[in-house]
Amino acid sequence: MLSGRLVPRFGERRMAIIGFVTGTATYSGYALATQGWMIFAVMPLWVFAALVFPTLNALMSHRVPPDAQGELQGAVASMFSLSSIIGPPLMTHVFSRFAGTVPGASFFTAALLASTAFIIYWSSTRGMPPPTTAATTHCAGRSVELRTRRRGRV
């Protein structure tokens, strides 16, 4: 619901940038929190960070031909699975290594990783033209067709 209002207004690339920046800020806020209420004060920023994955997925989908969408989604799912395998042991190790000296070390590490992802995203998309009209029209037409089909009108 939120992405349906923000993405058309700001664009997919800008929303991804906003998401990366607020994600990094949220992780940093969690790391610097010294009181429980501070976590709750920072938490609303995560709303924008949660838009990064669907926005990036849409950006990639617009740039891939219709017959390669399955390959793209398979690659995205593989990367998500790989990060889900590597992330917990990495953060557990960081937490155990710095538990007595740097209380928010795991969140600082997450902020560092989010910043790195942002830099990679920024440098790889800077100057890139917007998706072609044909791809956008195809994707938009496909979503309209799917919504119509779900309602039983086709």
Side-chain angles (χ1 to χ4, degrees):
M1 184 165 143
L2 185 62
S3 65
R5 292 183 180 170
L6 294 176
V7 171
R9 182 174 180 177
F10 296 106
E12 291 169 336
R13 184 172 186 275
R14 282 192 189 127
M15 279 312 302
I17 291 169
I18 291 168
F20 277 123
V21 170
T22 58
T24 301
T26 303
Y27 286 134
S28 298
Y30 290 162
L32 296 170
T34 57
Q35 302 283 324
W37 66 266
M38 294 176 177
I39 296 291
F40 293 106
V42 175
M43 206 177 286
L45 286 176
W46 189 254
V47 169
F48 299 106
L51 296 176
V52 171
F53 182 74
T55 304
L56 291 180
N57 210 4
L59 281 167
M60 290 184 290
S61 183
H62 290 315
R63 298 191 184 281
V64 174
D67 60 340
Q69 292 293 321
E71 293 175 40
L72 171 66
Q73 296 307 320
V76 169
S78 295
M79 293 305 292
F80 184 79
S81 296
L82 187 60
S83 66
S84 296
I85 292 168
I86 294 171
L90 171 67
M91 292 303 179
T92 301
H93 176 72
V94 169
F95 180 76
S96 68
R97 172 74 175 89
F98 296 102
T101 56
V102 183
S106 296
F107 290 113
F108 281 129
T109 304
L112 177 67
L113 292 172
S115 298
T116 303
F118 169 68
I119 291 167
I120 292 169
Y121 173 76
W122 178 268
S123 63
S124 65
T125 61
R126 189 178 40 181
M128 186 178 283
T132 62
T133 307
T136 305
T137 304
H138 171 77
C139 291
R142 179 81 176 136
S143 65
V144 169
E145 179 186 315
L146 288 174
R147 276 183 285 183
T148 308
R149 194 178 299 159
R150 286 187 192 130
R151 292 182 186 149
R153 294 183 185 162
V154 172

